């Protein structure tokens, strides 16, 4: 058989590509063999970390709706050392107090701080407020060959209004960022909530009713999401990712007929499982 120039060129190209593919497969196998020991020794970035948990009743170890809180599950799986400061009924304005207690107890010997707050701010009708207050102010500026000069510009400063939800978050994170400037701080959004009928003086409606400002729990969840951009802190959206939806009676994540607000052990386990995987994307130490 006589090969034309075009046939020879095609055959050469085919053999070249086949050789490259064979070499790539061999190289890939070699890489996998070398990588396997590393995979076997891989560990979660939060393994063994010292983690502070600030929050309300769902974090509070004294809350009787569950015996095994989400941070307890993380302790079992990751061998973290939990420093727990959550107190039942507390709102975002209590975060600075909890953080001060953390500093008093452990100083800088903490790797990360997790904050799970907001559902009580909704129930107590805290207005949302604003992130910033705006004014006109003079600033020095020079560009494009112009000499330095003063210009009047719009200026913003953080709201510190403790009667508002956004103001409370600002005050809390400003305090934490100053106390722990190099530590990882993670925010968790409030989970969905249904009824909580403790007694005649503590009777909380389901989330399909607005509070007395006409605001739904979703509005407070959105504020916590927004705080990520305002304060450069990661937010893990438990409201969207935890799978807990107490409005449906079929869910077994809430143990008492009159309490579809506080998860039981199974609910906390699911929350912790979600957190376990979400934390894979975040360092615990710097």
């Amino acid at each position: 058989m006589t090969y034309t120039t075009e046939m020879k060129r095609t055959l050469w190209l085919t053999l070249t590509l086949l050789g490259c593919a064979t070499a790539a497969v061999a190289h890939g196998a070699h890489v996998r063999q070398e990588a396997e020991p590393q995979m076997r020794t891989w560990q979660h970035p939060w393994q063994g970390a010292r983690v502070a948990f600030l929050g309300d009743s769902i974090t509070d170890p004294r809350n009787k709706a569950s015996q095994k809180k989400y941070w307890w599950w993380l302790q079992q799986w990751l061998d973290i050392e939990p420093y727990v400061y959550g107190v039942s009924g507390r709102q975002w304005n209590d975060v600075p107090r909890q953080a001060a207690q953390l500093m008093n107890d452990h100083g800088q010997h903490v790797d990360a701080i997790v904050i799970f707050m907001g559902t009580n701010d909704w129930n107590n009708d805290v207005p949302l407020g604003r992130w910033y207050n705006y004014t006109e102010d003079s600033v020095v500026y020079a560009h494009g060959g112009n000499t330095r000069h003063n210009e009047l510009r719009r200026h913003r400063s953080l709201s510190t209004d403790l009667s508002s939800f956004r103001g409370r978050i600002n005050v809390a994170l400003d305090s934490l960022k100053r106390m722990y400037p190099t530590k990882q701080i993670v925010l968790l959004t409030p989970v969905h909530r249904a009824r909580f009928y403790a007694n005649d003086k503590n009777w909380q409606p389901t989330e399909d009713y607005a509070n007395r400002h006409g605001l739904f729990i979703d509005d407070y969840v959105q504020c916590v999401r927004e705080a990520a951009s305002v304060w450069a802190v990661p937010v893990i959206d438990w409201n969207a990712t935890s799978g807990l939806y107490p409005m449906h009676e079929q869910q077994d994540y809430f143990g008492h007929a009159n309490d579809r607000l506080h998860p039981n052990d199974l609910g906390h386990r699911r929350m912790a499982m979600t957190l376990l995987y979400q934390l894979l994307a975040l360092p615990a130490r710097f």
Side-chain angles (χ1 to χ4, degrees):
M1 180 177 180
T2 303
Y3 291 94
T4 63
T5 302
E6 186 63 30
M7 292 171 64
K8 291 178 180 178
R9 184 181 295 112
T10 301
L11 180 61
W12 175 84
L13 181 60
T14 302
L15 291 174
T16 300
L17 291 174
L18 183 61
C20 290
T22 303
V25 170
H27 176 71
H30 177 66
V31 169
R32 283 194 299 273
Q33 289 174 0
E34 289 185 347
E36 282 178 355
Q38 295 179 351
M39 291 297 291
R40 285 196 293 268
T41 59
W42 178 90
Q43 69 176 21
H44 195 288
W46 289 60
Q47 184 76 35
R50 299 164 297 184
V51 186
F53 295 92
L54 314 184
D56 51 38
S57 56
I58 302 181
T59 300
D60 191 340
R62 294 162 294 190
N63 182 269
K64 297 179 180 179
S66 61
Q67 297 300 313
K68 301 173 181 178
K69 304 293 188 285
Y70 64 92
W71 46 263
W72 182 91
W73 290 104
L74 292 178
Q75 184 181 28
Q76 307 311 303
W77 299 333
L78 296 177
D79 196 31
I80 66 168
E81 186 174 353
Y83 305 148
V84 184
Y85 292 92
V87 178
S88 180
R90 297 304 171 94
Q91 305 166 39
W92 259 96
N93 59 353
D94 194 52
V95 170
R97 185 199 62 79
Q98 295 182 25
Q101 187 63 49
L102 169 66
M103 175 63 76
N104 182 67
D105 292 344
H106 300 285
Q108 293 292 324
H109 299 291
V110 59
D111 297 311
I113 301 164
V114 176
I115 307 174
F116 180 37
M117 281 280 202
T119 196
N120 291 315
D121 298 83
W122 170 81
N123 186 58
N124 284 274
D125 309 300
V126 176
L128 297 182
R130 61 178 68 183
W131 292 115
Y132 301 103
N133 296 317
Y134 293 91
T135 59
E136 294 289 327
D137 200 3
S138 179
V139 64
V140 178
Y141 177 74
H143 183 67
N146 296 322
T147 57
R148 190 173 56 185
H149 61 284
N150 288 324
E151 287 186 358
L152 191 63
R153 295 190 178 187
R154 194 179 185 214
H155 178 257
R156 70 183 186 186
S157 59
L158 290 165
S159 170
T160 57
D161 179 9
L162 285 173
S163 68
S164 75
F165 190 58
R166 290 187 175 101
R168 290 176 172 189
I169 295 176
N170 277 342
V171 170
L173 292 182
D174 180 74
S175 176
L176 275 166
K177 285 276 191 177
R178 294 177 190 276
M179 293 168 64
Y180 295 104
T182 64
K183 306 299 183 181
Q184 179 68 279
I185 300 172
V186 180
L187 308 186
L188 308 177
T189 61
V191 295
H192 286 269
R193 50 176 293 155
R195 62 183 175 272
F196 179 58
Y197 305 153
N199 52 61
D200 287 343
K201 295 184 178 180
N202 190 2
W203 195 276
Q204 302 181 26
T206 52
E207 68 174 28
D208 50 339
Y209 290 92
N211 64 14
R212 286 179 288 184
H213 287 298
L215 299 168
F216 292 93
I217 186 66
D218 314 48
D219 298 307
Y220 295 78
V221 169
Q222 182 58 32
C223 286
V224 177
R225 292 171 181 152
E226 292 169 4
S229 297
V230 176
W231 283 100
V233 293
V235 172
I236 294 177
D237 194 351
W238 257 354
N239 188 268
T241 62
S242 70
L244 272 64
Y245 193 72
M247 297 291 286
H248 284 178
E249 301 294 330
Q250 291 86 348
Q251 282 210 339
D252 294 329
Y253 298 130
F254 301 84
H256 195 279
N258 288 336
D259 184 358
R260 303 284 291 178
L261 169 62
H262 302 99
N264 58 19
D265 287 357
L266 190 61
H268 274 274
R269 186 182 188 279
R270 176 153 182 165
M271 291 160 63
M273 184 69 74
T274 302
L275 193 55
L276 174 75
Y277 282 90
Q278 294 285 320
L279 290 176
L280 282 169
L282 298 173
R285 310 168 181 87
F286 294 95

